[in-house]
Amino acid sequence: PRSDCVVAEQLCLSDSTCNATYRTLENCALAKTRLLPLDHNSRVRCLNAELDLGNSSLLHCKCHRRMKRQEHCLRIFWTVHSSMTDGYLNLETSPYENPANEEHWNTDYNKLAALISGSQLAGDATNPCLKATHVCNLSKKCFRLRTDYASICTKGAGSEDVCDRRKCHRGLRNFFEKVPEDFTKRILFCPCQDEFCGERRRKTIVPDCSFQYNTKPNCLWLLDSCLEDHICKSRLADFQQNCQPADMSPDGCSLHNHAACLQAYMGMIGTPMTPNYVSNSSVEISLWCTCESSGNQKEKCDQILGMFESNKCL
């Protein structure tokens, strides 16, 4: 069975042979992080160290989206799999455990929704985004974490002060990781029939701070900043694995699991590659970046943008 990478690391460090191999891999990963070019011998040594782990639980360990030491766990995963990050879009496998193997919470969403339906709070029945927000407000945890990120992300936005995007992103990740999906999915993916509802949905993540810059950066720059961040790189690998489009498939999805794809999409929110709805009148989504002035890397750039803009699976 797959083990948690933090546990697997402790087991490895207590064994002298595994410990030595792991230290070699740490140096390989560090060199990649600092963009130090590895000579042929060093590359071979790194690859051999990865192969030497053989059947070690480290080689097959995974992380959980909601675990306490998530960043530490992900750092271990990418240390062991550093050779996988050679290609721009070749992350190959997600460091996260399959959602089906994670614990699912019993929530009181339906009970709270019933309370809303029988009260004046329901408001305009044609605005499911508003209803989802009201239900969230009745849950202490949902209300607290939504208020947290909203206050951080609106501070300074729209004025001369620039909002603290890093804190805003952390608040968003907290919300989507710690609040049960019964609440978060309904707030983010509420089905709208009019533009008022669509605008509320678009502003769910406070895009002035979390999504938009003054000018659109190049998508390759966005990708580079993502690959330098263990959480973003992991969420991107998860997104690539679970939202892999397949032209020949009737549902356009290679894994045929749209719930896993939506969960992977939510995982991207609060990272340097945060996506969002592009308007209040459609469900089209995009990254805040452009492929203009990409030179001979235009095709690669279009591929990154296309993962979000024209992904049938998503």
Side-chain angles (χ1 to χ4, degrees):
R2 282 191 174 129
S3 66
D4 159 345
C5 292
V6 177
V7 174
E9 183 191 46
Q10 288 167 350
L11 286 171
C12 177
L13 296 181
S14 64
D15 173 271
S16 56
T17 310
C18 187
N19 191 328
T21 305
Y22 184 61
R23 296 303 180 200
T24 302
L25 285 171
E26 279 189 317
N27 290 332
C28 299
L30 192 63
K32 282 208 165 191
T33 307
R34 293 177 178 169
L35 299 177
L36 300 172
L38 293 173
D39 59 33
H40 175 70
N41 289 342
S42 299
R43 279 203 302 275
V44 169
R45 191 166 66 249
C46 293
L47 207 53
N48 284 341
E50 204 169 304
L51 294 171
D52 284 345
L53 284 178
N55 292 321
S56 156
S57 55
L58 259 180
L59 200 59
H60 307 288
C61 72
K62 291 275 184 178
C63 301
H64 293 277
R65 290 164 187 80
R66 300 175 188 271
M67 69 189 294
K68 278 185 178 173
R69 299 177 68 192
Q70 186 183 163
E71 284 192 59
H72 179 64
C73 185
L74 295 172
R75 182 186 60 74
I76 298 165
F77 180 89
W78 291 115
T79 295
V80 176
H81 297 284
S82 63
S83 66
M84 274 169 34
T85 56
D86 278 346
Y88 251 120
L89 295 165
N90 191 26
L91 296 174
E92 286 184 24
T93 186
S94 170
Y96 289 111
E97 186 59 81
N98 186 318
N101 300 341
E102 293 189 0
E103 288 178 35
H104 286 284
W105 295 335
N106 291 321
T107 72
D108 51 1
Y109 184 90
N110 290 333
K111 192 168 71 180
L112 296 176
L115 285 176
I116 288 287
S117 299
S119 75
Q120 294 301 308
L121 279 173
D124 184 356
T126 62
N127 192 339
C129 287
L130 203 55
K131 183 182 176 184
T133 304
H134 286 323
V135 177
C136 171
N137 289 345
L138 290 180
S139 157
K140 281 182 185 174
K141 186 176 228 178
C142 190
F143 175 71
R144 177 173 56 82
L145 291 171
R146 185 173 164 273
T147 306
D148 280 355
Y149 85 72
S151 63
I152 296 165
C153 300
T154 48
K155 207 173 283 179
S159 69
E160 288 180 13
D161 302 323
V162 178
C163 71
D164 191 329
R165 182 173 279 113
R166 192 181 286 269
K167 276 188 178 174
C168 172
H169 280 168
R170 196 184 306 130
L172 279 164
R173 289 202 309 272
N174 256 340
F175 176 73
F176 286 107
E177 281 173 22
K178 294 179 180 175
V179 175
E181 281 182 23
D182 272 358
F183 295 88
T184 55
K185 272 189 173 175
R186 282 175 167 90
I187 286 175
L188 191 65
F189 303 125
C190 37
C192 289
Q193 301 298 320
D194 61 53
E195 293 193 2
F196 177 71
C197 175
E199 184 63 2
R200 189 177 184 92
R201 180 174 60 192
R202 190 185 72 80
K203 289 195 166 171
T204 297
I205 66 164
V206 197
D208 287 351
C209 182
S210 68
F211 178 65
Q212 293 168 211
Y213 296 77
N214 290 334
T215 55
K216 281 191 176 182
N218 187 282
C219 298
L220 294 169
W221 176 84
L222 217 57
L223 179 67
D224 283 340
S225 57
C226 181
L227 295 179
E228 287 167 10
D229 177 289
H230 280 124
I231 285 187
C232 189
K233 179 164 66 172
S234 302
R235 301 294 171 85
L236 182 60
D238 196 51
F239 179 78
Q240 285 184 320
Q241 179 178 294
N242 289 299
C243 297
Q244 191 66 47
D247 292 336
M248 303 304 288
S249 169
D251 66 354
C253 208
S254 63
L255 291 184
H256 311 295
N257 188 343
H258 291 279
C261 177
L262 290 182
Q263 186 183 47
Y265 171 83
M266 287 197 296
M268 294 301 300
I269 294 170
T271 70
M273 280 181 82
T274 295
N276 194 30
Y277 297 101
V278 292
S279 76
N280 58 11
S281 56
S282 76
V283 287
E284 284 178 37
I285 57 113
S286 181
L287 297 172
W288 183 262
C289 63
T290 176
C291 284
E292 289 173 22
S293 313
S294 295
N296 59 3
Q297 291 191 305
K298 175 87 165 61
E299 195 178 327
K300 193 183 288 178
C301 186
D302 287 338
Q303 202 179 343
I304 295 156
L305 199 50
M307 281 197 299
F308 294 88
E309 282 190 348
S310 52
N311 186 331
K312 284 182 184 172
C313 181
L314 178 63

